[in-house]
Amino acid sequence: MSERFSFEPLALLPAAMLLYLGSFGEIAAVLLPVLVHELGHVAAFTLLGLRIRCVRLELRGLCIEYYGACGAAGHALAAVAGPVAGVVWAFAASFWAKQVDWLYLSAGVSLLLSLFNLLPALPLDGGRILLALSCAFAGERNGARLTEAVSLFVGAGLLACGVWLLLRGEGIAVLTASVWLLCWQESGSGLVKRPEMI
């Protein structure tokens, strides 16, 4: 396996399920927003003069490790570029959906993915933005503590909301997302991830 790209075997399970259960339109509707999101990050790296060290597919998502000097504002810009690209794709897909039906689904997936990624909790892009800016203004140690506290608070709030929605019979999506988010708050996973990771 190339050092530039690697994957966790378990991370292939969701992709395999999507390929098995989904139609072509459903698969494209999910994969296109993910691709656009990651290309947004890559475009920001290029603009900032950063280089990609490696890309890893993990259970927490696609992780891009990069290097180069960019400062706190650069780290925040690199993180926000993915959700911004996703929102742009959502609007473009909804416009083009008059010709291709599955683009409506792609627009919805892209908007949902972008908004979820902007939550101020690690390992999401919003958490990366919070970490970069809080470390710049409050110092590395205080910034990391603040980010940890906010990440746990957001995860717990999302969990409470997910339980409430489940009890109302409105599905398990928010509950599932909150459990996934809280699982990565363990030390060494979400919170100790270096600034050079997206």
Side-chain angles (χ1 to χ4, degrees):
M1 179 63 63
S2 168
E3 292 182 6
R4 297 288 301 250
F5 179 79
S6 61
F7 64 90
E8 293 177 352
L10 280 177
L12 297 178
L13 186 59
M17 288 176 59
L18 180 64
L19 287 172
Y20 181 72
L21 299 173
S23 65
F24 168 79
E26 291 166 339
I27 293 168
V30 172
L31 293 183
L32 270 174
V34 172
L35 178 64
V36 168
H37 178 99
E38 298 307 331
L39 287 175
H41 289 310
V42 171
F45 299 151
T46 303
L47 288 172
L48 292 165
L50 302 171
R51 304 287 301 273
I52 296 174
R53 180 173 283 126
C54 66
V55 177
R56 286 194 309 277
L57 180 61
E58 301 176 357
L59 274 175
R60 65 178 147 183
L62 192 65
C63 296
I64 302 174
E65 186 174 347
Y66 62 94
Y67 63 95
C70 65
H75 288 303
L77 181 61
V80 79
V84 168
V87 169
V88 170
W89 170 250
F91 281 104
S94 64
F95 177 77
W96 293 324
K98 296 176 182 72
Q99 286 80 34
V100 184
D101 284 345
W102 58 262
L103 283 175
Y104 279 121
L105 176 60
S106 189
V109 168
S110 190
L111 188 60
L112 188 62
L113 176 69
S114 298
L115 294 178
F116 180 70
N117 258 289
L118 284 173
L119 289 175
L122 290 171
L124 304 175
D125 292 327
R128 309 304 307 158
I129 296 165
L130 176 63
L131 180 63
L133 297 180
S134 61
C135 285
F137 288 106
E140 195 166 317
R141 185 171 180 165
N142 290 333
R145 285 182 176 171
L146 174 64
T147 305
E148 178 179 354
V150 172
S151 294
L152 290 172
F153 179 77
V154 169
L158 205 59
L159 179 64
C161 184
V163 170
W164 181 71
L165 288 171
L166 181 65
L167 293 175
R168 287 174 48 94
E170 298 190 26
I172 63 167
V174 174
L175 181 62
T176 304
S178 67
V179 169
W180 175 87
L181 189 59
L182 286 169
C183 283
W184 295 112
Q185 298 313 305
E186 188 178 322
S187 180
S189 298
L191 295 174
V192 189
K193 205 161 113 177
R194 295 187 308 281
E196 299 81 13
M197 292 288 292
I198 291 291

